[in-house]
Amino acid sequence: MRLNKIVAAFTLVPAILLSTVTAAQATGPWQKIGSDVARPLDESQGLATIERPGGTTIRYTGIGTIPPGVAARGWNHVGDPGTAKGYYIEPYQRDDRGAKLFRVQAPDGSWSEYQHALESWEANNNSFAAVSPDGGWMVAGEYGTMDRFLVHPTPGIAAKDPAKNLPYAFAIRLDRPVRDIQGCDFVTATQLLCSSNDPAGSLFGITKPLLQVDLAGALNGSDVTGQVSALGQLPLESGCSGEFETEGIDFDERDGTLRVVVLSPSICIAFDSKTWRFRR
C-alpha cells in the first residue's frame, strides 16, 4: 500500500457511506470467526505473533511504522513481518536495485539490520518474511506473477553477522504460478498459508485468494517443491465499492487463529479496513 493512497483517504470525509459491499467467500477449512479494525497507517501491511518469555504480542507494520532513519536511507516500503523463537523480522524494499533490508529484533529487544544484495534475476520486491518453525530458514516473496519463493538463512538466528551479505540459499519451486503474494506464514514445517492480492482471478478462478502451499519436505538447504491450492476468496466487505487490497497474514500457534489484513476500497480504507480472524 503506497503512502499517497492512504493519505488521500484521510483528506476526504464522506457525507454518507454506501451500503455494505459483500462478496461471497469460502476459505476451505478456515471459518471466519470475526474481525478487528485495521488502521491504515500502522496496521496496513502485515502482522506477526511474537512469543517471548515476558509475554506474547501481535505486532503490525504499516507506512507509519517505518523508522525515519530507515526511510531516509531509501527503504520506503515495509512488508509482512515474520517471527520464530522470539525473533521478529521486518522485510523492507526500495525503489532502485539496491539491497533488500531485514530489520531483526532479538528476544532481548535489541535491533540489528541485515542486507541482501539482489541476485541478477531477482525482483526488488520484498513483500514478506516467513520463518520456518525450527528458526533455520526465512522465506521471502517477490511481487508479481511468480513460480518461486526465495529462501535465506534466518537473520539473527542462522545468519548472525549483520556486516555480511545475507545470501540467497535456495528456492521453494511452486507447481503453479501465484500472483501478488502479500504475506505467508508457516502452519507446520511443511505447510504455508499465503494471502494473494491477485486482481485478475485468472490463475485460480477467483480474485484475492487464500492460498495453501504444501511442501514436499521441510526446508533443509536445497530446492523443494511446493504444491499450491486455492482455499477460497478472502472476505471483501466494506461500506465502499471498488478494489480491495489484501495484505499480510499470520498464524497464531497459541490457539490456531489465522489473521489476514484486508484494506477497504476508496475512502473506506480509513474507516472499515479489517484484520479478519479464522479458525479451522
Side-chain angles (χ1 to χ4, degrees), residues 24-38:
Q25 297 92 28
T27 47
W30 295 94
Q31 302 301 308
K32 184 171 63 176
I33 62 171
S35 66
D36 303 296
V37 173

Side-chain angles (χ1 to χ4, degrees), residues 2-36:
R2 290 299 179 185
L3 177 61
N4 58 352
K5 184 176 179 182
I6 295 176
V7 171
F10 282 102
T11 63
L12 297 174
V13 179
I16 57 171
L17 290 180
L18 302 176
S19 58
T20 299
V21 177
T22 303
Q25 297 92 28
T27 47
W30 295 94
Q31 302 301 308
K32 184 171 63 176
I33 62 171
S35 66
D36 303 296

Side-chain angles (χ1 to χ4, degrees), residues 29 174-178 191-194 196 203-204 206 209-214 226-232:
L174 306 176
D175 69 338
R176 57 188 299 182
V178 297
Q191 185 181 92
L192 298 99
L193 291 176
C194 301
S196 166
L203 298 178
F204 298 96
I206 51 173
L210 175 66
L211 301 179
Q212 180 174 302
V213 180
D214 292 298
Q227 182 179 358
V228 184
S229 54
L231 301 182

Side-chain angles (χ1 to χ4, degrees), residues 23 28 60 126 153 226 236:
Y60 283 79
N126 200 17
L236 307 178

Side-chain angles (χ1 to χ4, degrees), residues 110-132:
S110 62
W111 287 90
S112 56
E113 295 184 354
Y114 291 76
Q115 294 189 31
H116 164 68
L118 273 63
E119 304 288 338
S120 60
W121 43 263
E122 182 180 350
N124 71 311
N125 311 109
N126 200 17
S127 298
F128 68 87
V131 185
S132 60

